[in-house]
Amino acid sequence: MNDDTIFVINNLRVWYGAVEAVRNISCGIRRHEILGIIGPANSGKTSFLRTLNRLNDLVPSCRTEGEVLLNGVDIYSDDMPVPELRKRVGMVFALPVPLPMSIMDNITYGPRMQGIRSRSTLSEITEKCLRAASLWDEVKDRLHVSAFRLSGGQQQRLCIARTLALQPDVILFDEPCSGLDPISTAKVEATMVELKQRHTIVLVTNNTKQASRVSDRVAFFLQGELVEIGATDRIFTAPRDRRTEDYIAGRFG
């Protein structure tokens, strides 16, 4: 494995019952990059994403074949317990799902579950993660109010901060701006760009303009296959596959 590569995926296949959602995908994900994954509905994007932290395990009909290596360790082996994997590979979903508790308690829930009890340490974690999620200045005077009192965009950034509290190596974003207004979307995008300095980000998005704005590389999925992957500028200006060009141009999808 190349030192610049954090994930190596070899011959990955995913089924839901008899339906093959991901078809023999092989690729690498580099450290400290934003990899944008684009493609029409039912192209396998989210199934691929959920494989990276084994959330597909929660679907009874799901079956996975192939190899997924995180820092050289097979995530399906006994050497990578699922709780440890999900600590190292966090996920932010399409709709923000804050916990029914205060802003601060949302951030400190994970650390407290890991045994951290010091109030000063938990306060430091809260501020650090909220700053990293570009939310601190907006909520620092109301950390003990319900997270449900935040706007949708603020709730999504709170979910990012909550994920950061576990110090993941990789953050998976599954359509994180699908329900947000343009201003909130811009703030989440700016947060992702800042976070890649310390984390690797994989972003599934149906918004090709968003992928072009924030991604270092882009992967185009179609009908469960990885059609091509490459530098964002090349994918959007000189794709090697006609299907990629047709999708980006809006001829289908």
Side-chain angles (χ1 to χ4, degrees):
M1 183 181 70
N2 189 307
D3 287 342
D4 290 335
T5 304
I6 190 166
F7 262 118
V8 175
I9 297 96
N10 294 315
N11 305 313
L12 178 65
R13 303 176 74 183
V14 178
W15 288 266
Y16 298 102
V19 177
E20 189 172 13
V22 174
R23 302 181 178 183
N24 203 36
I25 286 178
S26 296
C27 64
I29 300 173
R30 299 171 183 168
R31 300 181 196 278
H32 306 297
E33 76 168 344
I34 299 178
L35 174 65
I37 300 178
I38 61 173
N42 300 314
S43 60
K45 305 186 302 294
T46 294
S47 292
F48 172 80
L49 193 73
R50 290 169 64 92
T51 299
L52 300 179
N53 70 347
R54 294 186 57 176
L55 275 182
N56 281 334
D57 291 10
L58 303 175
V59 181
S61 64
C62 185
R63 177 167 58 91
T64 301
E65 289 184 4
E67 186 178 56
V68 181
L69 305 177
L70 174 61
N71 289 321
V73 178
D74 187 346
I75 69 170
Y76 286 90
S77 72
D78 292 339
D79 294 329
M80 183 68 72
V82 173
E84 174 66 18
L85 172 66
R86 291 182 184 155
K87 175 186 172 185
R88 295 173 62 184
V89 183
M91 190 160 188
V92 177
F93 298 93
L95 295 177
V97 187
L99 300 173
M101 51 184 66
S102 73
I103 294 169
M104 183 172 183
D105 286 343
N106 265 265
I107 305 298
T108 60
Y109 180 82
R112 284 188 283 111
M113 291 293 289
Q114 293 180 331
I116 297 176
R117 294 289 182 265
S118 166
R119 289 187 178 182
S120 61
T121 300
L122 293 172
S123 294
E124 290 172 5
I125 291 171
T126 299
E127 180 174 350
K128 178 181 178 181
C129 293
L130 287 172
R131 284 189 182 279
S134 304
L135 189 57
W136 173 253
D137 288 340
E138 297 170 41
V139 302
K140 62 184 179 183
D141 297 324
R142 48 187 178 135
L143 295 177
H144 299 290
V145 305
S146 170
F148 294 130
R149 293 178 61 181
L150 299 176
S151 69
Q154 289 173 327
Q155 287 185 17
Q156 190 64 296
R157 282 180 284 148
L158 176 64
C159 290
I160 294 171
R162 189 177 67 204
T163 299
L164 292 174
L166 294 177
Q167 299 180 311
D169 299 320
V170 182
I171 307 174
L172 311 176
F173 287 86
D174 188 11
E175 290 287 344
C177 302
S178 60
L180 302 183
D181 60 77
I183 293 175
S184 296
T185 294
K187 290 182 178 180
V188 171
E189 289 179 359
T191 298
M192 285 191 286
V193 171
E194 174 64 24
L195 289 176
K196 78 173 184 178
Q197 307 301 322
R198 299 175 298 281
H199 308 271
T200 298
I201 292 175
V202 186
L203 167 67
V204 163
T205 178
N206 287 324
N207 186 333
T208 55
K209 291 182 179 179
Q210 180 175 70
S212 70
R213 285 193 297 265
V214 304
S215 302
D216 299 293
R217 290 193 304 149
V218 169
F220 173 54
F221 280 45
L222 182 64
Q223 296 179 337
E225 298 180 2
L226 174 57
V227 175
E228 65 177 303
I229 184 172
T232 300
D233 288 347
R234 184 189 67 73
I235 292 292
F236 279 91
T237 60
R240 292 171 182 159
D241 193 291
R242 177 62 182 270
R243 293 169 294 176
T244 309
E245 180 180 354
D246 287 346
Y247 177 73
I248 290 172
R251 298 189 183 102
F252 72 92

